Amino acid sequence: MLIRHPSDIKPSEITAESVYRERRRFLGLAAAGLAAATAGGLLLPRPALPALPGRFDNLRPGPYSSGETPNSYEDVTRYNNFYEFGTGKEDPARYAGMLKTDPWSVTVDGEVEQPGRYTLEDIIKPHALEERIYRLRCVEAWSMVIPWVGFPLGDLLQRFRPTSRAKYVAFTTLHDPEQMPGQRRAILDWPYVEGLRMDEAMHPLTLLAVGLYGQALPNQSGAPLRLVVPWKYGFKSIKSIVRISLTEQMPPTSWNRSAAHEYGFYANVNPAVDHPRWSQKRERRIGELRKRETLPFNGYGEQVASLYNGMDLGKWF
Ligand SMILES: Nc1nc2c(c(=O)[nH]1)N[C@H]1C(S)=C(S)[C@@H](COP(=O)(O)O)O[C@H]1N2
Ligand SMILES: [Mo]
């Protein structure tokens, strides 16, 4: 079977067509009885694919892309963590359609000279969108490779002119139990909140994603706007963002609030620091049988390790 590598695929080709091709590839695998090897709830009755959302044309390939083959569109959009729609990996694909993402607005406030409530279009339009293939490493010891569409968060923050007091960036997900049934249960202290230190937020690897596989984000992936911080455990990559606040103090984060001894503010991928209940030394790439060694900073150490010079990463986990 011909499996093309990302480097062979021009970004202009990574469109609905490649999604279609991936779907065909998946169906072929399933027919060959190999579905079990692709993991992730695929043995359950499969929910209907969401209607294909809008696609982006003329995406340019962004820097820092992983040379690895991305996971299939099916893996990326059917095996998710999005507790607002349930705690099962297949729940987001099944229920996130309840979320209405248009119209959408984002409040930008705190330590900025130009606070305000901006429409999604205001937020996205001034930015050239790129495709960046990034590894995502969940704290639960699985990983994926995802072709995101987005732009650097730092470029957005600059537009609102952070003041000299801005030391952190706080993010908030929509809070609406009507549309997000998981919020009717106290699994987490809703809404989901996350944060980055200012230098992490300004780092060119940190992306605001609006799509994947050349198309608008499906709801289960955090539509219409989500963060992607590839050197940190997946829980930092907050979905369906409605507020971005620049702050002087370190903001609270959902998983740290819920279990501070298990989830720190930094959450840098670190095989040397185990989660209290399991090892972080290895990971299972979704679709693979043999585990991989987890890399420090998820393999992005060359780009980001210097942000943490002099810090005890065992203490600041
Ligand atoms: N609002 C919100 N954002 C979230 C989560 C969540 O439950 N709610 N889960 C996080 C976790 S634990 C992971 S691993 C990633 C998963 O992203 P994916 O489903 O697109 O792979 O989203 C993160 N962002
Ligand atoms: Mo995660």
Side-chain angles (χ1 to χ4, degrees):
M1 185 192 310
L2 176 67
I3 298 177
R4 295 169 77 201
H5 290 272
S7 55
D8 304 330
I9 304 175
K10 287 195 242 93
S12 57
E13 278 184 78
I14 303 177
T15 58
E17 195 213 323
S18 74
V19 171
Y20 172 72
R21 197 165 54 231
E22 284 294 323
R23 194 171 301 150
R24 289 277 304 254
R25 189 166 82 83
F26 169 76
L27 291 172
L29 285 174
L34 294 172
T38 65
L42 296 177
L43 299 176
L44 298 171
R46 297 197 299 127
L49 265 186
L52 289 181
R55 72 178 235 205
F56 302 104
D57 292 316
N58 305 318
L59 290 176
R60 52 174 191 183
Y64 310 113
S65 279
S66 163
E68 296 158 300
T69 306
N71 281 88
S72 69
Y73 187 79
E74 278 71 20
D75 285 347
V76 172
T77 60
R78 292 177 185 284
Y79 189 89
N80 298 98
N81 268 342
F82 199 169
Y83 277 21
E84 286 83 341
F85 297 102
T87 54
K89 302 293 176 226
E90 299 84 21
D91 288 342
R94 213 169 275 150
Y95 301 118
M98 297 172 71
L99 175 65
K100 193 167 171 244
T101 61
D102 180 17
W104 193 268
S105 63
V106 180
T107 298
V108 180
D109 61 6
E111 295 296 339
V112 286
E113 286 173 19
Q114 289 168 6
R117 187 172 170 192
Y118 298 92
T119 66
L120 186 67
E121 205 193 359
D122 294 334
I123 293 284
I124 297 173
K125 209 168 182 190
H127 300 276
L129 298 181
E130 320 169 337
E131 175 158 85
R132 296 188 181 191
I133 300 168
Y134 279 177
R135 291 178 285 270
L136 181 144
R137 168 59 159 82
C138 181
V139 73
E140 295 166 283
W142 51 265
S143 66
M144 281 198 221
V145 180
I146 302 175
W148 298 109
V149 175
F151 57 92
L153 170 67
D155 292 355
L156 179 82
L157 297 180
Q158 294 286 16
R159 285 172 51 205
F160 302 105
R161 298 179 178 278
T163 73
S164 60
R165 282 187 300 276
K167 299 283 189 302
Y168 295 90
V169 186
F171 304 87
T172 309
T173 293
L174 178 71
H175 189 202
D176 184 353
E178 290 280 303
Q179 298 187 69
M180 294 178 143
Q183 292 178 337
R184 297 173 205 164
R185 294 167 53 207
I187 313 158
L188 287 171
D189 202 357
W190 307 112
Y192 197 99
V193 290
E194 255 305 336
L196 294 172
R197 211 170 58 187
M198 198 64 188
D199 57 345
E200 299 176 322
M202 298 306 294
H203 193 281
L205 265 175
T206 304
L207 215 60
L208 271 180
V210 297
L212 55 82
Y213 263 108
Q215 296 186 306
L217 286 175
N219 287 359
Q220 61 266 40
S221 301
L225 187 72
R226 62 93 54 88
L227 187 67
V228 180
V229 194
W231 72 93
K232 293 178 179 285
Y233 290 118
F235 66 83
K236 298 296 287 184
S237 293
I238 183 174
K239 297 178 169 184
S240 304
I241 295 167
V242 293
R243 185 185 212 107
I244 300 176
S245 305
L246 284 83
T247 63
E248 206 169 354
Q249 305 298 326
M250 183 183 276
T253 64
S254 283
W255 282 103
N256 178 257
R257 258 185 187 162
S258 143
H261 60 294
E262 298 187 22
Y263 309 102
F265 176 82
Y266 285 93
N268 293 317
V269 174
N270 191 343
V273 176
D274 288 339
H275 184 280
R277 289 182 283 133
W278 58 80
S279 167
Q280 293 291 14
K281 288 186 180 58
R282 300 193 303 155
E283 66 199 57
R284 186 173 61 88
R285 176 70 48 83
I286 299 301
E288 293 180 354
L289 294 176
R290 192 182 307 153
K291 289 192 175 171
R292 295 172 175 251
E293 301 285 313
T294 288
L295 300 171
F297 300 105
N298 201 22
Y300 300 94
E302 204 182 306
Q303 287 80 33
V304 300
S306 64
L307 295 175
Y308 310 101
N309 277 344
M311 278 175 67
D312 176 352
L313 297 179
K315 183 175 177 218
W316 301 105
F317 58 94

